[in-house]
């Protein structure tokens, strides 16, 4: 009798232990939640689709949207004042990582969180913007890619001056709703203009409605050229700016090839698609467990000079052979 009771007691204990273990096994078998990337961008959702395609290409070093990662897109529609609220929304949703793919977006994301990892893609030096402690050892929650199109801005001015050496007045177009980037660009160009003996006039545009006034002012100033500052809004309006520059016979230079392909005169800068792809690679690495503070900020090392010879002829410009020889591409 005692033996039967003992066996019964052991059997009940065994059942109780197994029952206690079942919830643990069930929990262990539950799939892990899909990580979420918050993409924060100054542009409108339909602007420059090739850039987001490049970002996804970089992300595909381990992650495919809709399969093992979800992406929440937040576009400011070229209204930078909306970025803080959009960044706060991503933080509220507790996304796994934020990809802030413009300078204004990077600043908004960093102001919104010091804990969620942030991968930035921007034109300026992130150390100057107080986003990271240093390029090699960012520290904190921010890392990313800079294509340094701000740092090569003086070279754009030099190239334009080489193409129109008789002019003494140059204009610089900036977006006033992106003040940090506009200020850095203006400061570096003012220094370069003084060294070349040029007068530099700063013009502002933050909407398409501003463009007509800008080109009217260029004619009033008798400006011999226009340096368009790197900005997401201007990148999204490359075709319009190129057409206006040709229509008003203003030699203009911008940062990327798309401007020249659309009929603009000249571009000098890093490839934005490369920068977006590298940002996607960094997001993937963070999703795999690496910390942003340990990932050095990557710098674009290749810049391209692209010249539209057809546009130069339409403007009555003779492109020096030495300048043509330095171009990676000449569109005829």
């Amino acid at each position: 009798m005692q033996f039967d009771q003992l066996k019964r007691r052991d059997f009940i204990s065994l059942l109780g232990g197994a029952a206690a273990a079942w919830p643990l096994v069930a929990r262990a078998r539950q799939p892990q939640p899909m990580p979420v990337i918050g993409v924060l961008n100054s542009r409108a959702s339909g602007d420059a689709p090739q850039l987001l395609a490049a970002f996804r290409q970089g992300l595909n070093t381990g992650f495919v949207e809709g399969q093992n990662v979800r992406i929440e897109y937040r576009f400011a529609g070229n209204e930078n004042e909306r970025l803080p609220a959009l960044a706060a929304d991503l933080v509220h949703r507790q996304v796994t990582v934020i990809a802030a793919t413009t300078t204004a977006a990077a600043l908004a994301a960093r102001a919104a969180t010091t804990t969620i990892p942030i991968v930035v893609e921007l034109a300026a030096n992130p150390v100057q913007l107080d986003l990271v402690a240093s390029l090699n050892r960012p520290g904190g929650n921010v890392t990313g890619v800079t294509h340094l199109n701000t740092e090569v801005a003086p070279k754009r001015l030099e190239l334009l001056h080489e193409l129109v050496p008789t002019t003494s007045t140059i204009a610089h177009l900036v977006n006033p709703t992106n003040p940090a980037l506009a200020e850095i660009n203006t400061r570096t160009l003012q220094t370069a203009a003084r060294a070349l003996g040029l007068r530099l006039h700063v013009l502002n545009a933050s909407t398409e409605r501003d463009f007509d006034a800008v080109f009217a002012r260029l004619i009033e100033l008798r400006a011999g050229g226009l340096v368009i500052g790197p900005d997401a809004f201007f990148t999204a309006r490359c075709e319009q700016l190129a057409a206006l520059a040709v229509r008003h016979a203003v030699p203009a230079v911008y940062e990327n090839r798309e401007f020249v392909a659309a009929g603009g005169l000249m571009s000098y800068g890093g490839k934005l698609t490369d920068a977006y792809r590298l940002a996607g690679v960094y997001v993937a690495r963070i999703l795999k467990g690496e910390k942003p503070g340990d990932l050095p900020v990557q710098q674009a090392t290749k810049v391209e000079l692209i010249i539209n010879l057809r546009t130069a002829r339409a403007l009555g410009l003779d492109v020096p052979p030495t300048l043509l020889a330095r171009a990676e591409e000449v569109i005829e």
Side-chain angles (χ1 to χ4, degrees):
M1 182 68 175
Q2 290 180 350
F3 180 72
D4 291 341
Q5 288 176 345
L6 180 61
K7 287 194 295 183
R8 189 180 302 113
R9 189 181 304 114
D10 290 342
F11 180 68
I12 292 171
S13 298
L14 179 63
L15 285 177
W22 287 340
L24 296 175
V25 173
R27 283 197 296 272
R29 290 177 179 172
Q30 288 180 353
Q32 294 296 314
M34 188 179 293
V36 181
I37 303 167
V39 170
L40 184 65
N41 194 288
S42 302
R43 299 179 177 88
S45 59
D47 291 349
Q50 75 277 9
L51 298 180
L52 287 179
F55 173 78
R56 295 188 195 98
Q57 182 185 19
L59 189 65
N60 283 356
T61 53
F63 296 90
V64 178
E65 183 179 7
Q67 293 185 16
N68 58 352
V69 71
R70 186 161 57 89
I71 302 180
E72 290 275 350
Y73 296 95
R74 297 293 183 273
F75 297 98
N78 296 305
E79 298 176 10
N80 287 332
E81 60 273 16
R82 296 178 55 202
L83 286 168
L86 295 174
D89 178 58
L90 291 174
V91 172
H92 176 72
R93 292 174 183 272
Q94 297 182 328
V95 297
T96 314
V97 58
I98 296 174
T101 52
T102 53
T103 300
L107 292 170
R110 182 62 180 81
T113 179
T114 58
T115 55
I116 296 175
I118 300 170
V119 173
V120 301
E121 183 286 324
L122 70 175
N125 188 324
V127 176
Q128 288 182 290
L129 296 171
D130 292 326
L131 290 170
V132 299
S134 72
L135 296 179
N136 290 332
R137 300 184 63 83
N141 65 320
V142 179
T143 188
V145 184
T146 173
H147 45 87
L148 297 179
N149 275 336
T150 293
E151 296 196 6
V152 299
K155 186 64 177 179
R156 289 189 202 105
L157 180 61
E158 291 175 21
L159 291 167
L160 189 58
H161 181 55
E162 188 174 346
L163 194 53
V164 286
T166 58
T167 189
S168 59
T169 302
I170 298 288
H172 175 43
L173 182 63
V174 301
N175 182 352
T177 68
N178 195 356
L181 189 58
E183 181 183 345
I184 291 173
N185 273 284
T186 299
R187 188 166 60 244
T188 57
L189 275 190
Q190 289 283 16
T191 301
R194 284 193 294 269
L196 293 169
L198 298 171
R199 291 190 300 273
L200 187 74
H201 294 271
V202 179
L203 305 179
N204 296 311
S206 58
T207 70
E208 292 184 25
R209 295 187 301 274
D210 297 329
F211 288 161
D212 287 337
V214 164
F215 281 90
R217 179 62 175 155
L218 283 169
I219 294 170
E220 181 183 322
L221 290 169
R222 296 184 180 180
L226 173 66
V227 179
I228 303 171
D231 189 89
F233 172 62
F234 299 149
T235 298
R237 300 295 178 270
C238 273
E239 292 186 11
Q240 189 174 353
L241 285 167
L244 284 167
V246 172
R247 185 190 311 163
H248 294 280
V250 178
V253 59
Y254 190 45
E255 65 171 342
N256 57 42
R257 184 188 182 280
E258 285 76 10
F259 175 73
V260 185
L265 174 62
M266 185 166 54
S267 67
Y268 184 76
K271 293 180 67 175
L272 283 178
T273 50
D274 286 352
Y276 270 69
R277 180 182 55 80
L278 290 172
V281 170
Y282 258 20
V283 169
R285 290 178 65 174
I286 289 172
L287 291 176
K288 292 174 184 177
E290 295 189 62
K291 295 180 180 180
D294 297 333
L295 295 173
V297 174
Q298 298 196 50
Q299 302 178 69
T301 56
K302 182 181 179 181
V303 292
E304 297 180 323
L305 171 62
I306 316 292
I307 298 173
N308 191 318
L309 201 56
R310 186 171 60 248
T311 300
R313 293 193 188 105
L315 294 172
L317 299 173
D318 292 322
V319 182
T322 53
L323 191 58
L324 288 173
R326 281 151 38 207
E328 276 73 23
E329 182 181 357
V330 176
I331 298 175
E332 298 193 56

